[in-house]
Amino acid sequence: MRRQRYLSWLLPMSILALTLGVVGGIAWLTSRLIDADEIGDGHITAGRPCTATVRSVTVTNVTFDNDNVYQVDLHVQPDDGSPGYDATVRKALTSAQAAVVRPGATFRCVTDHDDPTHIEVVWIE
């Protein structure tokens, strides 16, 4: 008799614990997405803002998701005043993005604090 009373609470408590776990997980994930300081594709968070000037653009013979992959040579100037440097980015660009990526064009970007050659460029705002 006593065992049945405790077992009758087992299912509702299990459902409650599962629900709280799912809601807590969703809340945690949402807070992580909101707190991320992203301006690029989302791979670099809280990086160093910079400006990238296109030096040259080369179309590769590779496509990704029906978009051509381009090799873009950039001159990167960090916004914090540190010295600029040259870098190369290989990126699949949509036709709208590829139309604006020309030598001399400038774009906002973000670099990784640990690896300044890891750059994400905002091709179209």
Side-chain angles (χ1 to χ4, degrees):
M1 181 80 160
R2 191 171 197 169
R3 183 180 283 198
Q4 281 182 329
R5 188 170 18 161
Y6 289 121
L7 290 178
S8 66
W9 286 96
L10 185 61
L11 180 62
M13 293 305 286
S14 298
I15 291 172
L16 179 64
L18 179 65
T19 303
L20 288 175
V22 169
V23 170
I26 291 171
W28 175 81
L29 181 61
T30 303
S31 72
R32 296 294 296 165
L33 292 174
I34 289 172
D35 291 340
D37 295 333
E38 301 174 354
I39 66 168
D41 294 336
H43 298 110
I44 299 175
T45 58
R48 293 180 356 176
C50 58
T51 303
T53 303
V54 178
R55 294 179 28 228
S56 67
V57 182
T58 306
V59 180
T60 64
N61 292 327
V62 179
T63 59
F64 180 75
D65 286 341
N66 295 324
D67 292 327
N68 289 324
V69 175
Y70 292 83
Q71 179 173 319
V72 185
D73 294 323
L74 303 168
H75 179 75
V76 179
Q77 182 61 53
D79 290 352
D80 62 6
S82 57
Y85 56 92
D86 294 334
T88 300
V89 175
R90 289 178 57 94
K91 181 73 177 169
L93 300 175
T94 65
S95 58
Q97 291 170 329
V100 297
V101 178
R102 299 282 178 243
T106 59
F107 300 95
R108 287 182 336 122
C109 63
V110 64
T111 62
D112 193 338
H113 280 289
D114 299 327
D115 182 9
T117 61
H118 185 194
I119 304 163
E120 288 183 15
V121 180
V122 180
W123 301 110
I124 296 179
E125 294 190 48

